[in-house]
Amino acid sequence: MAQTVLSSIIKEQIICNALAKAGIPKRKAALRAARVAWAERVRLAAIGGQEVEAEIIKNLKKIEALASKFPESLKTANSIIRKDNDMYLNLAGSRVNVYFNGNYRWHESGSPDHIHKIAPSEFTLLADDPLVTEFYGFDALYKQIQSDESDIRQNVSAALSKVRTIKRLLEEWPEAKELLPADAPSVPLPPAIRRETLNEMIGLPSDEEAIA
């Protein structure tokens, strides 16, 4: 039987599986959820709180009911009140965009759709506001996740670059069996040759694998 060559597609799948095994996607999702909740608190602070927003929404419904009676030819697509997916924030002197879907930038690969909410175009937070400290905590977490992801990608890529086939990969790094794509052909495992640093970085072997 011919040996399966480690194609660029298989290598990328192995790298993605390594990142998932190390918990990178879960950490990203948790950080995004925290930023969404933070952005909502900033938005509510900017408009005066939930009670103010409830009153705005109630009045909007009244206005929309009246506007619905206007002739179609006189209606416009312009919004009665500002609803957008972000707002500009003066964060104790720093200028940042607050996206209500948790984004850092307007476009991020794999990010959810933008969320439009009632919000002013600009708002200021003073240095002593806890929301400012929380923002910089997110920034530190984001940089750490990016750094960890980069380290795993580089190290796994380096390990994969030294071999041409799945069989050879498992001879050099047996624990990588867990990272192979589900549709990868089965290859008998040779005696284990440990790569402690890389295994610890990714979290190999799994607890159940270790027990077995």
Side-chain angles (χ1 to χ4, degrees):
M1 181 183 294
Q3 296 186 25
T4 301
V5 174
L6 276 173
S7 65
S8 58
I9 294 177
I10 293 178
K11 287 181 178 180
E12 182 59 27
Q13 288 176 317
I14 290 173
I15 291 171
C16 288
N17 289 342
L19 293 171
K21 175 67 178 172
I24 297 297
K26 288 183 179 179
R27 289 168 64 188
K28 285 183 175 181
L31 177 56
R32 178 178 292 278
R35 282 180 60 89
V36 167
W38 174 82
E40 179 66 0
R41 291 198 298 276
V42 172
R43 185 186 72 87
L44 289 175
I47 63 178
Q50 290 181 327
E51 291 183 0
V52 172
E53 181 177 39
E55 188 67 21
I56 290 172
I57 292 173
K58 184 173 70 174
N59 289 329
L60 270 176
K61 289 180 179 179
K62 293 178 182 178
I63 295 171
E64 288 167 352
L66 291 172
S68 67
K69 299 177 182 179
F70 296 158
E72 287 296 326
S73 61
L74 298 179
K75 292 181 181 179
T76 170
N78 294 335
S79 177
I80 298 171
I81 194 171
R82 184 181 186 272
K83 287 185 179 181
D84 213 332
N85 51 48
D86 71 335
M87 62 184 191
Y88 296 106
L89 186 63
N90 179 350
L91 194 77
S94 297
R95 190 78 164 171
V96 300
N97 283 79
V98 179
Y99 294 101
F100 302 133
N101 69 344
N103 272 17
Y104 274 88
R105 295 175 295 277
W106 165 259
H107 175 72
E108 293 180 8
S109 177
S111 65
D113 292 339
H114 281 284
I115 303 171
H116 289 73
K117 294 189 174 187
I118 296 172
S121 59
E122 298 188 21
F123 186 57
T124 296
L125 288 175
L126 301 179
D128 60 351
D129 195 308
L131 289 168
V132 175
T133 303
E134 193 173 356
F135 172 83
Y136 286 112
F138 293 147
D139 197 43
L141 282 174
Y142 177 79
K143 289 177 181 177
Q144 185 59 59
I145 292 172
Q146 293 293 99
S147 175
D148 292 345
E149 179 176 4
S150 178
D151 286 346
I152 290 172
R153 276 194 169 275
Q154 290 177 8
N155 282 277
V156 175
S157 294
L160 296 177
S161 69
K162 297 177 182 178
V163 294
R164 294 186 63 254
T165 66
I166 290 179
K167 182 176 183 297
R168 185 59 181 160
L169 171 65
L170 296 180
E171 288 174 352
E172 294 291 323
W173 185 18
E175 296 86 353
K177 178 185 178 183
E178 291 186 49
L179 307 178
L180 293 176
D183 56 355
S186 178
V187 180
L189 286 177
I193 302 174
R194 300 190 63 79
R195 293 293 180 269
E196 297 293 340
T197 302
L198 188 54
N199 291 340
E200 182 177 351
M201 180 185 299
I202 298 171
L204 295 175
S206 295
D207 292 341
E208 56 268 27
E209 289 286 330
I211 293 173

